[in-house]
Amino acid sequence: MNQNGDNNYYNNDYGQGNVNQGMKSPYYQQPVPPQPPQRYPAPAPGGLSNKGGGVFLLGLLVGVIIMTLVGSCTYVGVRLYHLYDDQKAKTASTEGNSKDGILNDDSMEKLEALEEVIGEYYYKDEDIDTEAMTEGMYAGLVASLGDPYSVYYTAEEWAELMQETEGIYYGIGAYLQLDVATGFAKINGVIANTPAEEAGLRENDIIYMVDDEIVQGMELTEVVSRVKGEEGTTVHLTIYREGEDDYLEFDVERRKIESPTVNYEMYDNGVGYIQITEFDDVTTEQFTEALAVIKGSKAKGLILDLRSNPGGSLPVVVDIARSILPKGLIVYTEDKYGEREEYTCDGKNELNMPLVVLINGNSASASEILAGAIKDYDKGTLIGTTTFGKGIVQRILPLTDGTALKLTISSYYTPNGNDIHGIGIEPDIECEFDSEAYYEDEVDNQLERAKQEMIKMIK
């Protein structure tokens, strides 16, 4: 189960690689859980005639309970109040030095106070998991940045993501992307001959629930971990699909998925076709082989399909761009300090045949780098719909305890200096995807339009 791809690269200590990672509809509203019915004791025979000792004792008992609760709340309030006073005093005495950074005396003391209060008053001791609380604290720190692409990974999550870079995992065979606007994960691609395709899942399906649990607001990694599982087990997905009157329910088997990142074929008219589904560690080699076959077949033109490609590794997409582009800049990044890093091409392997590139709203990140460079150099014709618009780069930072941090570190720009973040790349020829023709008649209207344009170019 691959995730929305990011432009990722490791720091130099760990080598370079990639970790794959994003309406008018009912999924905007959270369902309100039913309220338990109110239950009141039946009145004693004779109405309120039992107002002697019974009512007095009841009132006394209630009074004791209330005083106990008030006393407890007072203790907690005083404890936290003293903490606030201490913080205020420290802040005044140190002229703000205690507020520098988040790991200071004030924050540590407050954490200790919170832990003390939880330990003293939380009603289910057996449910307190200190390790989970600690991991949640780390995750919350990163989540507070408000950047959906910066994520803290536990050791287990990190190990799973590393497994995915090998192109083999146990899941259903669908690519997931975070829909930032709604907080849900959506399917932005389905791998052929996998359980996802067999079950009837489609691109742009919104995952509303996994095993009857609403997943809105969850990190994409958490949704993915719930969908994945042991081989041979099933996962129940509740799907919102635009155009349907109600949610759709799917039981999908988990199997071993070997995900090819490059597919290719030759058409009878001498036109080659290469599809790149994501930019993984193995993609460069797979693309090199596909391009060699296409050239060896004496192709007159090439259709490059980047639709629903969520992105992936920055070094990988740069390597592939060097097989297509002329001499010059491929992409450049700028960090918070204004430091610029350029990725260039020597032009020795420039593609010397007509090129058409297919894109859509799920083409993101690294696929936008390639499409943007091709457009800036007027190296090919872009057909489809405007791309996702992810123009930022993440760095993966593995930590010594087996956990990892993915952090947004820079913005990237096309060769002409275009910042496409939140904007996307517009096609040269707008062509909306006809899902009805595709799913009912197996006709890919965007691909057919690309073939038509290619015929014009090679005549």
Side-chain angles (χ1 to χ4, degrees), residues 90-101 103-106:
K90 287 179 181 178
T91 301
S93 64
T94 60
E95 298 181 352
N97 289 337
S98 66
K99 294 189 292 184
D100 293 339
L103 292 179
N104 52 51
D105 291 342
D106 291 348

Side-chain angles (χ1 to χ4, degrees), residues 47-76:
L48 296 180
S49 61
N50 187 19
K51 63 180 179 180
V55 172
F56 174 78
L57 290 175
L58 177 61
L60 179 62
L61 178 60
V62 171
V64 171
I65 293 174
I66 290 175
M67 288 303 296
T68 302
L69 290 175
V70 170
S72 299
C73 292
T74 301
Y75 172 80
V76 176

Side-chain angles (χ1 to χ4, degrees), residues 329-334 340-343 411-415 417:
L329 188 64
I330 299 172
V331 65
Y332 68 92
T333 64
E334 284 188 2
R340 174 166 166 162
E341 186 171 1
E342 297 184 348
Y343 299 83
S411 297
Y412 76 76
Y413 302 84
T414 70

Side-chain angles (χ1 to χ4, degrees), residues 419-438:
D419 179 3
I420 60 93
H421 191 63
I423 301 171
I425 298 170
E426 293 184 359
D428 299 305
I429 299 175
E430 183 82 17
C431 181
E432 292 283 346
F433 181 67
D434 188 341
S435 60
E436 183 176 340
Y438 183 80

Side-chain angles (χ1 to χ4, degrees), residues 322-355:
R322 288 171 178 152
S323 301
I324 297 174
L325 298 178
K327 182 177 181 179
L329 188 64
I330 299 172
V331 65
Y332 68 92
T333 64
E334 284 188 2
D335 64 16
K336 64 187 290 185
Y337 305 105
E339 294 292 329
R340 174 166 166 162
E341 186 171 1
E342 297 184 348
Y343 299 83
T344 60
C345 176
D346 60 16
K348 293 180 179 179
N349 299 309
E350 181 180 356
L351 187 68
N352 293 313
M353 66 176 71
L355 176 65

Side-chain angles (χ1 to χ4, degrees), residues 76-97:
V76 176
V78 169
R79 175 70 182 89
L80 295 180
Y81 177 78
H82 285 327
L83 175 62
Y84 173 76
D85 273 354
D86 291 344
Q87 290 175 328
K88 191 173 180 181
K90 287 179 181 178
T91 301
S93 64
T94 60
E95 298 181 352
N97 289 337

Side-chain angles (χ1 to χ4, degrees), residues 175-439:
Y175 299 105
L176 298 190
Q177 177 177 342
L178 181 65
D179 189 291
V180 179
T182 64
F184 286 98
K186 74 173 181 179
I187 295 175
N188 72 330
V190 176
I191 301 172
N193 304 315
T194 62
E197 183 184 62
E198 294 166 5
L201 292 172
R202 298 181 182 179
E203 182 179 328
N204 291 323
D205 281 350
I206 299 291
I207 299 179
Y208 180 63
M209 289 194 288
V210 177
D211 288 330
D212 298 322
E213 182 176 358
I214 297 174
V215 295
Q216 185 180 31
M218 289 186 183
E219 296 286 352
L220 184 62
T221 53
E222 186 174 356
V223 179
V224 170
S225 68
R226 291 170 185 264
V227 174
K228 291 168 59 178
E230 294 184 9
E231 186 176 16
T233 60
T234 60
V235 59
H236 184 77
L237 301 180
T238 302
I239 296 293
Y240 168 78
R241 180 177 294 168
E242 189 173 4
E244 297 289 341
D245 296 332
D246 201 355
Y247 294 107
L248 304 178
E249 307 289 340
F250 295 89
D251 288 303
V252 191
E253 182 186 6
R254 299 177 175 110
R255 294 205 300 257
K256 181 178 180 180
I257 306 296
E258 296 187 19
S259 173
T261 62
V262 176
N263 301 296
Y264 63 93
E265 62 179 303
M266 279 293 302
Y267 299 130
D268 294 337
N269 57 2
V271 175
Y273 170 86
I274 298 178
Q275 177 193 41
I276 305 176
T277 59
E278 60 184 324
F279 295 94
D280 250 350
D281 292 345
V282 297
T283 306
T284 301
E285 182 179 346
Q286 292 177 2
F287 178 80
T288 301
E289 177 185 346
L291 187 59
V293 172
I294 296 298
K295 288 181 176 179
S297 301
K298 302 190 184 304
K300 300 175 183 177
L302 174 64
I303 297 174
L304 180 61
D305 193 345
L306 299 178
R307 290 176 297 175
S308 300
N309 181 320
S313 168
L314 178 59
V316 169
V317 71
V318 167
D319 283 343
I320 290 175
R322 288 171 178 152
S323 301
I324 297 174
L325 298 178
K327 182 177 181 179
L329 188 64
I330 299 172
V331 65
Y332 68 92
T333 64
E334 284 188 2
D335 64 16
K336 64 187 290 185
Y337 305 105
E339 294 292 329
R340 174 166 166 162
E341 186 171 1
E342 297 184 348
Y343 299 83
T344 60
C345 176
D346 60 16
K348 293 180 179 179
N349 299 309
E350 181 180 356
L351 187 68
N352 293 313
M353 66 176 71
L355 176 65
V356 171
V357 182
L358 287 169
I359 55 174
N360 65 9
N362 289 327
S363 303
S365 196
S367 58
E368 292 177 290
I369 288 178
L370 184 55
I374 290 172
K375 183 171 184 176
D376 281 4
Y377 282 108
D378 196 23
K379 188 64 185 173
T381 300
L382 274 57
I383 296 178
T385 55
T386 302
T387 60
F388 183 81
K390 183 176 180 294
I392 49 180
V393 179
Q394 284 72 43
R395 170 169 285 175
I396 299 293
L397 303 166
L399 306 178
T400 56
D401 62 351
T403 62
L405 175 65
K406 182 178 72 172
L407 197 64
T408 300
I409 61 165
S410 60
S411 297
Y412 76 76
Y413 302 84
T414 70
N416 288 347
N418 297 321
D419 179 3
I420 60 93
H421 191 63
I423 301 171
I425 298 170
E426 293 184 359
D428 299 305
I429 299 175
E430 183 82 17
C431 181
E432 292 283 346
F433 181 67
D434 188 341
S435 60
E436 183 176 340
Y438 183 80
Y439 289 111

